[in-house]
Amino acid sequence: MTDVFGNIRKSRSLVGEIAERLSAEIASGRYAAGQRLPTEQAMALSGKVSRTVVREAISVLKAQGLVTTRQGSGAFVADRPRRQDFRIDPELLRSLDSVIDVLELRQAVETEAAGLAAARATPQMLAAIQSAHRAMLAAVSRDESGADEDFATHQAIAAATGNPQFPAFLNFLGTIVIPRHNRRVWSMTSDHKAAYLARIEAEHGAIVDAISAGNADGARHAMREHLVLAAARYRSFANAAARGAVDPQSKEN
């Protein structure tokens, strides 16, 4: 395989560097619309990084709308790849202040979304929220992060507002804005993972219960509390990393 990445500069984020290199290759036409990208293993060998780094870079490009993924088939250039003018940069998940900024943005949008969902959700919409929540609980019971299922629950709540702009905005942000979707953040919970996930389960349960009961004020309160506590958890992890308790730059293979 031709070396896609060249010499990766160690002074930059590996995830961000690889995402930018792949983005440039797509923009140049080296990888055409619909074309399958090299495998994670091939790109990891080419860039001399772990497959986890490559996987996160692909997630960044997916959030930007440049690539799509197919279960069991890999990553493909989107049919109409284009970079959004506004996007969540991969560096955000490495900067505490920027992650808090994104969580505050979610508070502004999703707090109201929860209230509207409680007031407007149809039985079918409520069933979709409850189904997504159960899927998240099942993922956690399998000792997984449940990050994708967590995001799906938030998507279902946004859809239940009946306003298509809410789910469109959330889909635009993508799963990259859920901190534990980042494997470095997820690794930080290793010493207290059960308690960490139990708190997240309880917070989501309160949101879903309030929406299911048609309690708009309660749903707003529960969603806001969940996102405020998420910011506090991330701050705690970052402070622990700064003290040397964990290494936020550690690589997983």
Side-chain angles (χ1 to χ4, degrees):
M1 172 188 171
T2 303
D3 187 353
V4 174
F5 305 115
N7 294 320
I8 301 296
R9 295 191 296 276
K10 300 302 181 182
S11 61
R12 291 187 59 188
S13 153
L14 293 178
V15 173
E17 180 79 2
I18 291 176
E20 287 298 324
R21 293 292 182 91
L22 281 171
S23 174
E25 295 289 350
I26 292 170
S28 72
R30 177 174 180 179
Y31 296 110
Q35 182 176 348
R36 186 179 186 274
L37 295 178
T39 64
E40 287 180 2
Q41 182 176 5
M43 287 191 280
L45 290 173
S46 173
K48 296 181 175 60
V49 296
S50 72
R51 291 180 64 178
T52 295
V53 169
V54 172
R55 194 173 302 122
E56 290 185 14
I58 293 297
S59 293
V60 170
L61 297 182
K62 184 177 179 181
Q64 293 175 9
L66 292 177
V67 305
T68 60
T69 55
R70 303 173 193 170
Q71 185 68 33
S73 298
F76 296 78
V77 179
D79 289 338
R80 295 181 179 177
R82 65 186 182 92
R83 184 187 294 278
Q84 302 284 355
D85 291 335
F86 172 81
R87 62 191 177 95
I88 302 299
D89 192 280
E91 295 297 324
L92 291 181
L93 291 185
R94 296 173 185 271
S95 163
L96 170 62
D97 291 340
S98 294
V99 169
I100 300 304
D101 287 345
V102 173
L103 285 170
E104 287 180 352
L105 175 63
R106 291 184 60 199
Q107 288 174 35
V109 175
E110 293 193 70
T111 296
E112 182 60 19
L116 291 175
R120 300 175 177 176
T122 65
Q124 293 78 13
M125 291 172 173
L126 288 176
I129 293 171
Q130 293 160 358
S131 176
H133 183 228
R134 286 194 298 271
M136 176 186 158
L137 297 179
V140 169
S141 72
R142 297 192 297 268
D143 199 32
E144 299 172 3
S145 75
D148 288 337
E149 293 80 5
D150 181 335
F151 188 65
T153 302
H154 285 268
Q155 287 176 307
I157 291 170
T161 65
N163 180 338
Q165 299 306 319
F166 280 95
F169 179 74
L170 198 57
N171 289 337
F172 176 76
L173 292 180
T175 58
I176 194 172
V177 301
I178 294 183
R180 79 179 185 284
H181 194 269
N182 182 290
R183 287 174 176 79
R184 275 173 290 279
V185 175
W186 179 233
S187 70
M188 293 179 187
T189 71
S190 59
D191 293 338
H192 48 275
K193 189 172 294 183
Y196 169 72
L197 290 175
R199 287 194 294 272
I200 291 174
E201 286 183 358
E203 291 163 20
H204 280 82
I207 297 167
V208 173
D209 287 348
I211 292 174
S212 298
N215 182 351
D217 288 341
R220 289 188 182 94
H221 174 78
M223 179 65 80
R224 179 174 177 78
E225 182 175 58
H226 166 55
L227 294 173
V228 167
L229 290 174
R233 281 189 289 268
Y234 192 86
R235 184 179 291 109
S236 175
F237 295 147
N239 289 342
R243 294 194 304 269
V246 294
D247 179 7
Q249 300 296 329
S250 64
K251 300 182 181 66
E252 299 173 12
N253 295 310

